[in-house]
């Protein structure tokens, strides 16, 4: 038997550290090659780390909730001396070395991975933790993530008072954060509460700050009569959703105005246009705002676009979007109307050069053919990098989308 130590692998996409969310194995467990051993949280998403070795776990080098840099020891395994026992995954042999699940570089499909049941306690932290006291439902509070438990502990939040919204009654980070903002009767009037930024929030903060610091942005908006589109959607309940149609019209407009599907190379003072449209969809998840992309949106039908939008947004909300999906966007579509607001001067998702947003579709008084009537109206806002185009181009792009919304049958016939 030989002891093999597996370090935190190269995360890709410029990521240099990760937090151990939870261990999926405990010291003394037997593991197989490619078995998931831990969940880690990066600035991009929550991913599973597979073991490159088979054998018995002898050391877990980090506690759940701690942060490791790439290259630091993660786990040690007493591995058999046979070649198969310490073989790396096929992806790792063919690709660029140790990588996380979802970050592989191989053209060979990964083998099917079976998720093992929740393990017993590892390094002193139970897999599911709750206070001995019962909640109002008579059950102890369920907290799966050590990060959520640590957030509650560091901010003095009693988990027995937190209302869970997670599946199966699990308390999520958002549940704890809501409890944190409630005024505590015993707190001093001049007290303060500090919450450290997670790796994800740090990355988002840096990206947003860079966007506002570097991009001379301008915002334009227009009210759009979406009644015809609304009726089209209502006439076919099993067909594409409203967001799928908005995405399809946006893609068509980007093909007509390709300068907006681009990035600005400040060093060389060049506008770099992309051949492919990887349409980013802004998603508000538990960990914050993320923008996964529908890859190759220009080649998809409206129905296919709707299917891909549902898939990538669901994966992003669950923290399972791939690194490629989170980094590939060439233009962003933001449906902030589902948050209950009508307008927004959004921040461009650097290094993109524009972002298009839609507010709520509301019944409003509108004049049609000289007659006052009630129509479905939405406000469309467009934020663009003034270095890549002027207001005329921006207005042309917006009218292309708005005209398609107001007369969808004609627009679809031309697509």
């Amino acid at each position: 038997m030989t002891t093999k130590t597996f370090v935190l692998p190269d995360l890709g996409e410029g990521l240099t550290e990760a937090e151990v969310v939870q261990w999926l194995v405990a010291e003394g467990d037997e593991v197989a090659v490619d078995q998931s051993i831990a969940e880690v949280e990066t600035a991009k998403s929550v991913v599973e780390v597979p073991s490159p070795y088979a054998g018995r776990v002898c050391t877990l080098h980090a506690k759940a909730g701690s942060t490791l840099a790439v290259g630091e020891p993660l786990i040690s395994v007493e591995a058999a001396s046979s070649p198969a026992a310490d073989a790396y995954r096929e992806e790792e042999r063919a690709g660029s070395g140790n990588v996380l699940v979802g970050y592989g570089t191989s053209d060979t499909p990964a083998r099917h991975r079976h998720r093992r049941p929740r393990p017993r306690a590892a390094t002193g932290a139970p897999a599911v933790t709750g206070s001995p006291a019962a909640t109002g439902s008579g059950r102890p509070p369920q907290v799966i993530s050590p990060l959520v438990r640590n957030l509650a502990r560091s901010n003095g939040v009693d988990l027995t008072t937190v209302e869970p919204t997670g599946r199966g009654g699990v308390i999520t980070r958002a549940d704890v954060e809501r409890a944190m903002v409630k005024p505590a009767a015993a707190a001093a009037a001049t007290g303060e509460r500090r919450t450290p930024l997670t790796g994800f929030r740090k990355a988002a903060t840096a990206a947003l700050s860079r966007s506002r610091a570097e991009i001379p942005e301008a915002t334009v908006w227009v009210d759009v009569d979406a009644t015809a589109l609304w009726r089209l959607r209502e006439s076919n309940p099993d067909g594409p959703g409203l967001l799928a149609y908005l995405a399809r019209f946006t893609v068509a407009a980007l093909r007509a105005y390709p300068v907006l599907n681009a990035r600005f190379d400040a060093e060389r003072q060049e506008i770099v246009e992309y051949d492919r449209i990887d349409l980013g969809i802004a998603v508000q998840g538990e960990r914050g705002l993320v923008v996964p992309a529908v890859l190759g949106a220009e080649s998809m039908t409206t129905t296919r676009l709707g299917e891909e939008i549902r898939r990538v947004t669901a994966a992003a909300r669950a923290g399972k979007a791939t690194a490629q999906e989170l980094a590939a966007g060439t233009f962003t579509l933001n449906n902030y109307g589902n948050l209950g607001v009508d307008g927004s001067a959004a921040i461009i998702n650097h290094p993109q050069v524009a972002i298009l947003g839609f507010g709520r579709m509301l019944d409003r008084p509108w004049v049609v053919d000289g007659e006052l009537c009630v129509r479905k109206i939405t406000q469309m806002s467009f934020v663009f990098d003034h270095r890549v185009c002027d207001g005329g181009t921006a207005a042309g792009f917006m009218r292309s989308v708005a005209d398609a919304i107001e007369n969808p049958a004609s627009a679809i016939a031309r697509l």
Side-chain angles (χ1 to χ4, degrees), residues 66-392:
S66 60
T67 299
L68 288 178
V70 171
E72 290 187 329
L74 181 66
I75 188 173
S76 292
V77 175
E78 287 186 355
S81 58
S82 63
D86 61 355
Y88 278 82
R89 299 182 300 158
E90 294 177 8
E91 303 101 296
E92 292 166 341
R93 294 196 212 104
S96 59
N98 303 350
V99 291
L100 298 185
V101 174
Y103 290 83
T105 58
S106 171
D107 293 329
T108 305
R111 296 189 298 275
H112 182 68
R113 183 176 296 108
H114 296 282
R115 179 73 174 266
R116 59 180 286 147
R118 294 284 180 200
R120 64 181 183 272
T123 64
V128 178
T129 303
S131 167
T135 61
S137 63
R139 295 180 301 171
Q142 300 297 300
V143 185
I144 293 176
S145 170
L147 299 180
V148 174
R149 187 174 60 254
N150 291 341
L151 179 63
R153 182 186 302 115
S154 62
N155 289 279
V157 175
D158 183 357
L159 290 173
T160 63
T161 66
V162 176
E163 184 69 24
T165 62
R167 182 176 300 176
V170 170
I171 294 174
T172 67
R173 181 196 299 271
D175 297 332
V176 173
E177 289 175 342
R178 279 193 296 272
M180 286 164 50
V181 301
K182 295 179 180 178
T190 57
E192 62 180 23
R193 180 180 294 112
R194 295 174 180 262
T195 302
L197 296 181
T198 64
F200 172 83
R201 180 55 64 184
K202 289 178 183 177
T205 299
L208 294 173
S209 299
R210 182 178 183 184
S211 178
R212 274 289 163 85
E214 294 184 9
I215 299 176
E217 63 187 30
T219 303
V220 290
W221 59 89
V222 64
D223 288 338
V224 183
D225 183 354
T227 307
L229 180 60
W230 184 279
R231 289 172 178 169
L232 175 63
R233 173 68 182 94
E234 291 296 298
S235 69
N236 185 14
D238 297 326
L242 288 172
L243 185 57
Y245 283 110
L246 296 179
R248 189 67 186 88
F249 299 152
T250 298
V251 168
L254 286 173
R255 298 193 72 171
Y257 297 89
V259 72
L260 297 171
N261 187 59
R263 64 181 174 87
F264 184 78
D265 187 335
E267 182 177 347
R268 301 179 62 173
Q269 291 293 292
E270 294 176 344
I271 299 170
V272 183
E273 297 181 8
Y274 301 107
D275 293 330
R276 192 170 79 170
I277 298 174
D278 294 331
L279 186 63
I281 306 294
V283 178
Q284 187 66 46
E286 180 182 326
R287 301 171 65 240
L289 181 67
V290 291
V291 188
V294 175
L295 308 180
E298 78 286 349
S299 65
M300 297 182 183
T301 63
T302 307
T303 298
R304 180 62 178 149
L305 261 175
E307 294 170 348
E308 277 298 288
I309 288 172
R310 287 192 295 272
R311 184 190 66 79
V312 300
T313 55
R317 289 192 179 98
K320 299 298 183 181
T322 67
Q324 182 184 15
E325 290 168 342
L326 291 171
T330 59
F331 182 92
T332 295
L333 178 60
N334 187 359
N335 178 26
Y336 45 77
N338 63 9
L339 300 177
V341 297
D342 300 328
S344 171
I347 299 177
I348 297 172
N349 186 17
H350 187 278
Q352 299 170 22
V353 298
I355 181 171
L356 181 67
F358 290 90
R360 295 181 296 173
M361 288 188 181
L362 297 175
D363 289 335
R364 290 183 177 174
W366 202 254
V367 176
V368 179
D369 297 329
E371 298 290 334
L372 184 65
C373 55
V374 176
R375 307 286 285 184
K376 293 287 186 183
I377 306 300
T378 183
Q379 184 182 95
M380 180 171 68
S381 66
F382 184 55
V383 185
F384 64 97
D385 186 336
H386 227 316
R387 296 173 298 182
V388 305
C389 70
D390 56 23

